[in-house]
Amino acid sequence: MKKINILSLDCDWITNIKQQEELLSFIIPIIYDHTDIVTTYSHNEIYPLFTHGYDEYNLINIDHHHDFHYGYIGKDTTVLDEGNWLFHLSNIFKKKINYTWICNPDSSHIFLKEYKNLKSFSFDHNLDYITTRKFDKIFICCSPDYASNPGVISTYKIIEKIVSQKHTNLSERSKEIIDDLSLKNVRLSHIVEHLDKVIEKIVKEKNK
């Protein structure tokens, strides 16, 4: 059986500083271990990552929203958007998507009858629920129109910078320094300040 493992991260999952630190601790080591990473603003841009030819699509989505669809509040489900991309994918890849959703306690849930085309569905509120750290594809966005916390955008920009530096082969120096941090014990403001200095130093060295 041919399977593909996809990690989807929408930074709008963040609602407080603690979650920001948890998310950065989780995602930064994964970024350095992977190459197929897409960063963008809108979540529906994940759609092209799903290609035919697989028997199973194991999708883990860290997100405040389930993105199955919100037709009950007047949304048009026939048009692909950031709130219904999973609904569209489940209709194309029927009974092939194993969907794991890391949400928040106050996230609105999918109605039982709605996810009949998913092969399986599970959810949790903690990143520790994710046991694997190896993925075939990684998608990261921030859905700025739906962000409820100002830290959503800043966290996305931190991640975007790290991915960008990695893609330009400038990551090794910053990785060494980041590895020295105990991210679980460092407040987000310190992380932001640290990463800005790392990136500035790398750019200066590149331009010598």
Side-chain angles (χ1 to χ4, degrees), residues 3 5 14 44 46 57 64 78 93 107 115 130 175 179-180 184 201 206:
K3 302 179 182 181
N5 298 316
I14 294 169
N44 56 290
I46 193 175
Y57 299 79
H64 182 73
T78 63
F93 303 98
S107 295
Y115 57 82
I130 304 173
K175 179 180 185 299
D179 284 344
D180 289 336
K184 291 182 179 179
K201 186 175 182 180
K206 182 187 177 186

Side-chain angles (χ1 to χ4, degrees), residues 93-195:
F93 303 98
K94 291 184 177 180
K95 298 295 183 182
K96 289 187 175 183
I97 299 176
N98 297 308
Y99 182 49
T100 300
W101 180 32
I102 306 300
C103 56
N104 288 311
D106 61 343
S107 295
S108 297
H109 278 258
I110 310 172
F111 293 114
L112 180 63
K113 64 179 182 180
E114 298 291 352
Y115 57 82
K116 61 184 179 181
N117 285 334
L118 295 174
K119 183 170 183 179
S120 68
F121 169 60
S122 62
F123 73 91
D124 200 270
H125 302 143
N126 302 300
L127 296 174
D128 290 344
Y129 187 73
I130 304 173
T131 56
T132 182
R133 294 295 185 270
K134 295 295 182 181
F135 303 94
D136 299 298
K137 298 181 180 182
I138 296 175
F139 178 90
I140 302 170
C141 69
C142 65
S143 299
D145 292 339
Y146 300 92
S148 61
N149 186 291
V152 169
I153 307 300
S154 62
T155 302
Y156 173 77
K157 298 307 290 185
I158 291 170
I159 294 171
E160 186 183 51
K161 283 182 180 181
I162 294 172
V163 172
S164 175
Q165 295 297 335
K166 185 174 186 294
H167 285 171
T168 54
N169 296 319
L170 293 173
S171 64
E172 201 56 39
R173 289 291 301 279
S174 60
K175 179 180 185 299
E176 290 175 2
I177 302 174
I178 290 169
D179 284 344
D180 289 336
L181 288 174
S182 177
L183 289 173
K184 291 182 179 179
N185 297 317
V186 179
R187 295 190 65 80
L188 181 67
S189 59
H190 296 164
I191 296 173
V192 173
E193 181 182 359
H194 175 77
L195 287 174

Side-chain angles (χ1 to χ4, degrees), residues 1-4 50-57 93 96:
M1 181 177 287
K2 193 175 181 182
K3 302 179 182 181
I4 184 169
F50 286 75
T51 56
H52 291 278
Y54 296 93
D55 301 299
E56 256 185 34
Y57 299 79
F93 303 98
K96 289 187 175 183

